[in-house]
């Protein structure tokens, strides 16, 4: 009994000691590690424990895609990845070449132009969720994307990575993408901030632009990304503004982004976009990447120490040329980014190449593919038993996920258009293929190879002849061409040479149209192309780059299993000169000055100002059903400065099948002291409507939607405005006037 008592006493003592130890340990948990504490407290605590050297260490890369944490404090490294359509394969520590892993294949989601063409915030959220999960599974902390540079010229090689020509559409589409990615504990890095609207001389050109154009056209999507999306990081652009590179730019990064917009995240340089230590210190850069491409082989023990924000910064701090306050501010921002991502303990696990992600890629593509023209019901193609479909064109068989620059991927699967059509055609339908033309037969990027043999020995004439022979008596002919991801097509680091289709495709299309009127032309591209044959072809589809599910989604549309509902986020001009920048000779790929002389008149704003009929207008897209619009109604015809009005319209499905319509609200300022666009997109709603059904769509209008950027900033001028409601910028069905007083 005595013994038992003493054992009990002993265990009580041990327990007391243990729990006291625990309490002490608990009390000792550093603030920065305690996730229940506010982020700012944790950041300050971590900062207070860091040495000067450690603070500098976290401000620059330590490998191609990672930057160091603070190992002594258990703060992990930060891992970034491209972006923006899938998770880039792992590359070697200090080289661009892929590392050759076998577990880093991903799902390629549709290019961002396609996402923008869905005009669906729901699809944008699905995109962000899915790619965020892939990033998380691959243990990435920062996804280098999305891109929201405005589509200024159809020649820009990177337009496919962006969300079109309209600042409002891009703003609405970017926000859900960001919010959903970041729910995974993965930061977005919105790029390329700002005025990165061409690839020619991208490191050299200075964007010469007025404040109104900057604020009305080129900044809104970034502002929405920061203020509404809550982006945790942003990537400076390569080019210059007001003579300063945009990775260290006083006006754009310090004055606008950090001061005016209250951005609390980190500014990351584009890879190799930092050029100067002093400017990097003062002009808003927080985290430097990509400066030396061969860091470890430079002869230094660690080439990364030679970065502008590495040893040269340390020297300036040590000898007093640089202040520790500025350093602390940068370190704070990088720590915040780290704590929101790499440091976060309760992150979801993510998932890679899941059935849900393939399904998401397909749904986004289904909603983004645009039916541009459809006479004589050429589409959808019927699956009549015994029928014969001829598919012509290189893009029916060419992989598009490899190439194009930093967005290039290593996919687990890419269903090619021809395979998708074959699989969906079903029993009893013969699908034949003819090459039609030879474009780009290469298929590798940084060591990722498609393994496709696209070599061809026939001449251009023979290819056309062979295609026409088979096309003559086919029940349907589908030409699948467009651009690709080679240099001077849709590709980083170069712009296109012209608006026309490359590789003699026009001749192939003309020849096919002559022998078979049941021809549908499918353009795979991230850019507008010229269509001199437009009147001779009955059906035209813009299929974008749809990634892993390209062929599946295209077949969904071609056979009518899905009713098309995408609309153009860009204007297709007839000729290059119908675009403002080109009409004014303001796009010059050889000049180190890019004059934005067309001002706010980008895309449809220019076409409408000049009364130019586009080939296909911004907002255009057909369906296999039809929609009628009632007269617009307005809740009041006068509105005060702080008030609002509501514009409503009833939309009826007048066709035979269910479909989705994108109802667009544009507003024009009838009388104004400055020149304004005829109308500008201010709201839209994508609604699904059953045959015979009518849906009421209402748009609240407030003063902010009516302002322009004047000499004193955002300005509302009283007077008359017109609200235009329609199915496209050139298909306004109804309008109503109201007065602001
Ligand atoms: C591109 C960025 C990309 C980075 C890293 C740069 O060349 O402009 O968009 O994220 O490389 O690959």
């Amino acid at each position: 009994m005595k013994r038992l008592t003493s054992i009990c006493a002993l265990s009580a003592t041990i327990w007391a000691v243990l729990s006291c130890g625990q309490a002490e340990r608990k009390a000792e948990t550093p603030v920065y590690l305690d996730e229940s504490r506010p982020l700012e407290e944790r950041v300050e605590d971590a900062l207070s424990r860091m040495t000067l050297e450690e603070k500098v260490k976290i401000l620059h890369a330590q490998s191609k895609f990672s930057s160091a944490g603070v190992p002594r404090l258990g703060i992990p490294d930060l891992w970034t990845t491209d972006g923006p359509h899938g998770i880039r394969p792992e590359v070697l520590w200090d080289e661009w070449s892929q590392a050759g892993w076998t577990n880093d294949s991903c799902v390629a989601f549709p290019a961002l132009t396609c996402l923008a063409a869905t005009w669906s915030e729901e699809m944008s959220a699905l995109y962000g969720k899915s790619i965020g999960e892939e990033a998380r599974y691959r243990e990435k902390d920062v996804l280098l994307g999305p891109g929201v540079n405005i589509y200024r010229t159809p020649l820009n090689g990177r337009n496919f990575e962006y969300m079109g020509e309209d600042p409002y559409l891009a703003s609405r589409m970017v926000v859900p993408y960001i919010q959903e990615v970041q729910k995974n504990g993965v930061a977005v890095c919105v790029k390329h901030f700002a005025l990165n609207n061409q690839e020619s001389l991208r490191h050299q050109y200075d964007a010469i632009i007025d404040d109104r154009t900057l604020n009305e056209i080129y900044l809104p999507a970034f502002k929405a990304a920061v203020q509404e999306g809550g982006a945790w990081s942003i990537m400076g652009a390569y080019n210059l503004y007001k003579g300063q590179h945009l990775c260290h730019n006083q006006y754009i990064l310090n004055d606008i982004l950090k001061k005016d917009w209250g951005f609390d995240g980190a500014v990351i340089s584009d890879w190799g976009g930092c050029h100067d230590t002093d400017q990097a210190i003062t002009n808003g850069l927080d985290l430097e990447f990509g400066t030396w491409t061969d860091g470890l082989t430079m002869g230094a023990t660690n080439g990364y120490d030679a970065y502008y924000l590495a040893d040269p910064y340390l020297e300036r701090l040590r000898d007093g040329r640089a202040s520790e306050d500025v350093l602390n501010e940068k370190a704070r921002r990088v720590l915040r980014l780290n704590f929101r991502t790499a440091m976060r303990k309760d992150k979801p696990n993510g998932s890679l190449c899941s059935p849900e992600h393939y399904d998401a890629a397909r749904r986004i593509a289904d909603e983004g593919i645009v039916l541009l023209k459809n006479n004589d019901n050429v589409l959808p193609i019927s699956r009549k038993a015994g029928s014969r479909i001829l598919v012509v064109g290189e893009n029916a068989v060419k992989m598009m996920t490899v190439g194009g620059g930093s967005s290039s991927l290593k996919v687990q699967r890419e269903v090619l258009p021809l395979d998708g059509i074959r699989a969906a055609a079903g029993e009893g339908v013969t699908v034949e293929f003819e090459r039609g033309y030879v474009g780009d037969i290469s298929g590798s990027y940084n060591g990722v190879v498609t393994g496709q043999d696209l070599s061809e020995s026939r001449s251009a004439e023979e290819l056309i002849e062979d295609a026409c022979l088979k096309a003559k008596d086919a029940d349907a002919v589908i030409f699948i061409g467009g651009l690709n991801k080679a240099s001077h097509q849709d590709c980083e680091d170069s712009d296109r040479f012209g608006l026309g289709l490359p590789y003699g495709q026009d001749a192939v299309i003309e020849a096919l149209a002559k022998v078979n009127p049941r021809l549908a032309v499918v353009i795979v591209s991230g850019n507008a192309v010229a269509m001199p044959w437009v009147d001779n072809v009955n059906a035209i589809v813009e299929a974008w780059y749809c990634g892993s599910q390209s062929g599946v989604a295209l077949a969904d549309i071609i056979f009518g299993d899905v009713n098309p509902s995408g609309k153009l986020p860009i204007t297709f001009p007839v000729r290059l000169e119908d675009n403002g920048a080109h009409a004014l000779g303001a796009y010059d790929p050889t000049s180190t000055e890019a004059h934005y002389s067309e001002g706010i008149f980008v895309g449809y704003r220019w076409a409408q100002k000049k009364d130019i009929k586009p080939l296909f207008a911004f907002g255009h897209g057909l369906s296999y059903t039809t929609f009628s619009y009632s007269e617009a109604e307005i809740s009041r015809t006068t509105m005060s400065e702080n008030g609002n009005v509501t514009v409503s319209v009833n939309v009826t499905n007048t066709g035979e099948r269910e479909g989705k319509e994108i109802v667009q609200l544009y507003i024009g300022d009838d009388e104004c002291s400055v020149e304004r666009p005829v109308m500008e997109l201010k709201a839209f709603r994508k609604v699904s409507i059953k045959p015979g059904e009518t849906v009421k769509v209402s748009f609240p209008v407030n003063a902010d939607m009516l302002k322009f950027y004047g000499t004193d900033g955002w300005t509302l001028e009283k007077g008359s405005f017109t609200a235009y409601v329609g199915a496209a910028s050139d298909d306004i069905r109804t309008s109503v006037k109201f007065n602001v007083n």
Side-chain angles (χ1 to χ4, degrees), residues 55 69 228 327 344 355 509 572 596 603 612-613 674 719 732:
K55 288 177 190 172
E228 296 175 60
L327 171 71
R344 212 179 109 181
I509 296 170
F572 273 56
Y596 285 55
I612 298 167
K613 194 173 152 30
V674 298
I732 298 303

Side-chain angles (χ1 to χ4, degrees), residues 4 11 30 150 243 261 289 301 397 499 569 624 641 655 658-659 671 694:
L4 190 63
S11 42
I150 291 293
W261 298 355
F289 266 97
T301 44
V397 295
L499 189 63
Y624 294 146
E641 238 175 281
E658 186 168 357
E671 42 199 66
T694 298

